[in-house]
Amino acid sequence: MSPTPSPAPVLPDGDPAPAVALARPESLSHLFWAFSRLALQGFGGVLAVAQRELVERLGWMSREEFVETLAVAQVLPGPNIVNISLMIGDRFFGLRGAMVALLGMMGFPALIVLTLAALSTTWLASAAMTGALRGMGAVSAGLILATGLKLLPSLRTNPVGLWPGLALAALVFGATVWLKLPLFWIVLSVGGLGMTLALIALKRSRA
């Protein structure tokens, strides 16, 4: 189940990027509490918190690895962050790690939501709470935008290159915002184009 190690990032001029020593969880309990902490911070969306925790605070992944893992999680069924937790847990501890990371990701949030639903259904459905949740939606959009901007520098070491990568991102933005195309067709078309460009660039760098 463990994914094969990804090749070292390649700079636009064809030279390999310098390797960076990454940390790893000390134990399954460390993995569990790290994902529990991540999940409990995810008001309005966990993706932005995941980037900060996994890349910046814990140092378990580089920005480039996070982008690659997110890309795989995006095309698999299910929520992105759940797929990411499974892949990271499997990377460090195999199947046990995948299950522990998933439990940390889902355990406490599920308990909180079920408790609130049982204790105060009327309160959660009130106009004041509905308005508060809509306000949290704006915060979530800001967090996702900030995460995207933080990850932009990783395009410099992407095989596709910075400007082609930005062009692909612009295509996705236009297809989503203006054309309102279904995600399946965006992933199939623009994602397929990105994979083709990356394969061509990698073949040229190895030639």
Side-chain angles (χ1 to χ4, degrees), residues 156-180:
R156 295 194 184 115
T157 58
N158 191 284
V160 174
L162 177 60
W163 293 109
L166 291 175
L168 291 172
L171 283 175
V172 172
F173 182 83
T176 304
V177 176
W178 288 306
L179 299 180
K180 295 181 171 57

Side-chain angles (χ1 to χ4, degrees), residues 159-160 194-204:
V160 174
M195 291 176 66
T196 302
L197 293 176
L199 287 172
I200 293 173
L202 288 171
K203 286 182 180 179
R204 287 178 178 173

Side-chain angles (χ1 to χ4, degrees), residues 52-69:
R52 187 181 70 236
E53 288 288 310
L54 299 173
V55 177
E56 298 176 12
R57 192 180 75 85
L58 295 170
W60 292 353
M61 311 177 77
S62 65
R63 282 185 303 192
E64 291 76 15
E65 286 178 328
F66 184 82
V67 171
E68 292 172 2
T69 305

Side-chain angles (χ1 to χ4, degrees), residues 80-160:
N80 295 341
I81 189 60
V82 172
N83 294 337
I84 289 174
S85 68
L86 287 169
M87 287 188 281
I88 293 176
D90 178 70
R91 172 187 295 185
F92 293 119
F93 296 105
L95 181 59
R96 290 186 306 156
M99 294 298 101
V100 167
L102 179 62
L103 180 61
M105 191 75 246
M106 305 295 292
F108 286 112
L111 288 175
I112 292 171
V113 170
L114 290 174
T115 301
L116 290 175
L119 294 179
S120 190
T121 304
T122 304
W123 177 68
L124 289 174
S126 66
M129 179 54 81
T130 301
L133 292 175
R134 287 177 179 171
M136 185 58 71
V139 175
S140 176
L143 287 172
I144 293 172
L145 178 61
T147 302
L149 293 175
K150 280 184 179 181
L151 296 176
L152 274 179
S154 66
L155 291 177
R156 295 194 184 115
T157 58
N158 191 284
V160 174

Side-chain angles (χ1 to χ4, degrees), residues 29-53:
S29 62
H30 186 196
L31 182 72
F32 171 81
W33 289 112
F35 274 98
S36 295
R37 171 190 168 95
L38 188 159
L40 291 173
Q41 295 179 74
F43 295 97
V46 186
L47 185 59
V49 180
Q51 189 274 335
R52 187 181 70 236
E53 288 288 310

Side-chain angles (χ1 to χ4, degrees), residues 26 72 179 183:
E26 299 169 0
V72 175
L179 299 180
L183 179 61

